[in-house]
Amino acid sequence: QAAADPMSSSDAPEDGPKETSSVSQNISDADAFKILLEMKMKKRQKKPALPSTVTELDTEDGSKVYVVGTAHFSDSSKKDVVKTIQEVQPDVVVVELCQYRVSMLKMDEKTLLKEAKEINLEKLQQAIKQNGVMSGLMQMLLLKVSAHITEQLGMAPGGEFREAFKEASKVPFCKFHLGDRPIPVTFKRAIAALSFWQKVKLAWGLCFLSDPISKDDVEKCKQKDLLEQMMAEMIGEFPDLHRTIVSERDIYLTYMLKQAAKQIELPRASETEPRKYIPAVVVGVVGMGHVPGIEKNWNSDLNIQEIMSVPPPSASSKIFKFVIKATVFGLMGYGCYRIGQRTVQFILSMPAAQSYLQKLTEIRSQH
């Protein structure tokens, strides 16, 4: 920062201001870049003291990836993320988020806590509009699980991702990448993997989730992410669903981490200077439940095209969609009928209405 922002004459001390200013102004952008990079390298620990939740992985070209396994509702996970980034001074930080959830990075804890607890009709309509009826309902049911944990703990989800975002901004030349598969793809593939009755059974289980959760339970779940552990317990009999929600995302996260770990180019003083590359240092912040899958897939040739495709809706999906729509419209129609019936009864019970009806009756009897 000192190299990039030379001290102005008004803020400079009287002893030697001109000399200091001229030296600062003579530093080129390339030199300033090199100075900052050297500062970063000096701060980077050769043998970093890492938390026990960190898994170290290497690439063929010598790059290092430090995967921090976290629990999404854990204060200690946030501390683990901060310590890891400070120790290794990464070139790239990758988090288990996609563009549909990136807003949580810049929202304060109070707002997020309020948002997580409030699941209303407007949110449901937005989810259905964005992802379709089935995927939208699935998303809202999973949000209900998250809201249940939030209400029990009084803690908003994704704190470790917000810490990673803030800490990465303090590291010179550190890029920040979103590493998770887009939510609509995950939900649509998950729905396609279930039969009609499996969808009903899963929805029922999510709707009636009410088991209490303590902070101690969260910390115990650092060996497996809490939200995904709860999901795993409910979807244990649906292996296809587990594959789409967990296993496929393991592959996607691994692929994104490997892409981020490609060698980085050093700054050049001029265009004629030859390009030089060095191994990258990457920090990945993911739920603990994904770490074993990332380790398993690390040395495999990965192709994410297959897990990014969305299969066409099955016959059971169409039937379920029709049933949901028919139910919603039926309830709306019944609601309108009941409201109309009560309104008519209320109007007829008013003295003025009764007097008017009595006069009409008298007139008809006279004719």
Side-chain angles (χ1 to χ4, degrees):
Q1 190 174 10
D5 300 319
M7 186 164 41
S8 65
S9 57
S10 60
D11 296 328
E14 292 184 3
D15 295 330
K18 293 181 181 178
E19 184 181 351
T20 305
S21 179
S22 62
V23 170
S24 298
Q25 288 174 357
N26 287 334
I27 295 177
S28 66
D29 289 344
D31 290 335
F33 197 103
K34 286 182 179 179
I35 291 170
L36 287 171
L37 190 60
E38 286 174 7
M39 290 170 60
K40 175 180 175 176
M41 293 303 181
K42 285 181 180 178
K43 199 174 179 182
R44 182 179 285 174
Q45 301 296 319
K46 291 183 179 179
K47 292 184 179 180
L50 299 173
S52 59
T53 52
V54 176
T55 300
E56 186 177 337
L57 300 168
D58 298 304
T59 66
E60 293 178 355
D61 56 19
S63 295
K64 286 193 174 292
V65 178
Y66 299 92
V67 182
V68 188
T70 67
H72 295 319
F73 294 83
S74 167
D75 283 328
S76 65
S77 284
K78 292 191 281 189
K79 294 175 184 176
D80 290 351
V81 169
V82 172
K83 182 174 179 59
T84 303
I85 292 175
Q86 289 176 347
E87 286 285 312
V88 305
Q89 293 291 294
D91 303 301
V92 186
V93 171
V94 181
V95 296
E96 185 198 329
L97 287 176
C98 69
Q99 64 266 37
Y100 293 91
R101 292 182 291 161
V102 73
S103 60
M104 73 159 55
L105 293 175
K106 295 184 178 181
M107 294 171 71
D108 61 84
E109 197 81 7
K110 186 178 179 181
T111 304
L112 275 165
L113 198 59
K114 184 181 177 182
E115 285 284 320
K117 288 181 179 180
E118 291 180 357
I119 298 179
N120 50 37
L121 184 60
E122 185 180 348
K123 286 186 178 180
L124 176 60
Q125 289 173 335
Q126 186 178 358
I128 290 175
K129 184 178 179 181
Q130 186 181 76
N131 305 317
V133 175
M134 288 303 305
S135 298
L137 288 171
M138 173 68 77
Q139 182 176 344
M140 293 308 296
L141 288 172
L142 288 175
L143 279 175
K144 184 180 183 297
V145 176
S146 180
H148 172 65
I149 301 172
T150 298
E151 190 174 1
Q152 292 282 325
L153 301 181
M155 183 188 301
E160 73 275 31
F161 302 139
R162 290 188 291 281
E163 289 297 326
F165 182 67
K166 287 188 285 187
E167 207 60 37
S169 67
K170 300 175 186 177
V171 179
F173 317 114
C174 181
K175 297 178 181 178
F176 190 85
H177 289 184
L178 304 176
D180 202 2
R181 184 172 65 179
I183 280 181
V185 176
T186 297
F187 284 135
K188 286 174 183 177
R189 287 184 63 84
I191 291 299
L194 296 177
S195 68
F196 173 77
W197 292 112
Q198 284 176 328
K199 291 168 188 171
V200 172
K201 191 170 184 179
L202 178 64
W204 182 267
L206 289 169
C207 283
F208 292 93
L209 177 73
S210 59
D211 294 336
I213 302 160
S214 68
K215 290 189 177 183
D216 290 337
D217 291 333
V218 177
E219 295 308 322
K220 289 175 185 176
C221 288
K222 288 194 74 175
Q223 297 306 311
K224 194 170 185 183
D225 177 61
L226 177 63
L227 183 57
E228 285 169 7
Q229 178 167 320
M230 294 177 70
M231 284 299 300
E233 290 174 358
M234 286 184 286
I235 66 177
E237 59 189 285
F238 311 137
D240 289 334
L241 189 60
H242 186 274
R243 171 177 55 78
T244 55
I245 290 180
V246 181
S247 302
E248 288 183 359
R249 287 172 60 226
D250 289 346
I251 294 171
Y252 191 92
L253 287 164
T254 306
Y255 178 83
M256 295 302 287
L257 286 168
K258 292 177 82 169
Q259 290 296 306
K262 290 182 177 179
Q263 289 192 330
I264 60 172
E265 182 183 351
L266 289 175
R268 295 183 294 163
S270 66
E271 291 296 325
T272 57
E273 187 178 334
R275 296 178 184 274
K276 294 180 182 178
Y277 296 87
I278 60 170
V281 173
V282 177
V283 170
V285 183
V286 304
M288 182 61 79
H290 289 293
V291 176
I294 291 171
E295 286 187 277
K296 177 184 174 183
N297 292 301
W298 188 250
N299 295 315
S300 304
D301 292 328
L302 303 174
N303 183 357
I304 63 169
Q305 295 303 317
E306 183 181 344
I307 62 172
M308 288 298 290
S309 63
V310 178
S314 62
S316 62
S317 293
K318 292 178 180 177
I319 293 171
F320 194 65
K321 184 177 180 179
F322 173 77
V323 170
I324 291 293
K325 283 187 174 181
T327 303
V328 170
F329 284 117
L331 289 171
M332 288 175 63
Y334 179 72
C336 291
Y337 166 74
R338 292 290 296 171
I339 291 171
Q341 188 181 42
R342 289 182 180 181
T343 302
V344 171
Q345 289 175 350
F346 174 74
I347 292 172
L348 292 177
S349 66
M350 294 175 68
Q354 289 180 352
S355 175
Y356 181 73
L357 289 173
Q358 187 175 0
K359 287 180 180 179
L360 280 176
T361 306
E362 290 174 357
I363 292 168
R364 289 185 65 183
S365 62
Q366 290 174 1
H367 291 283

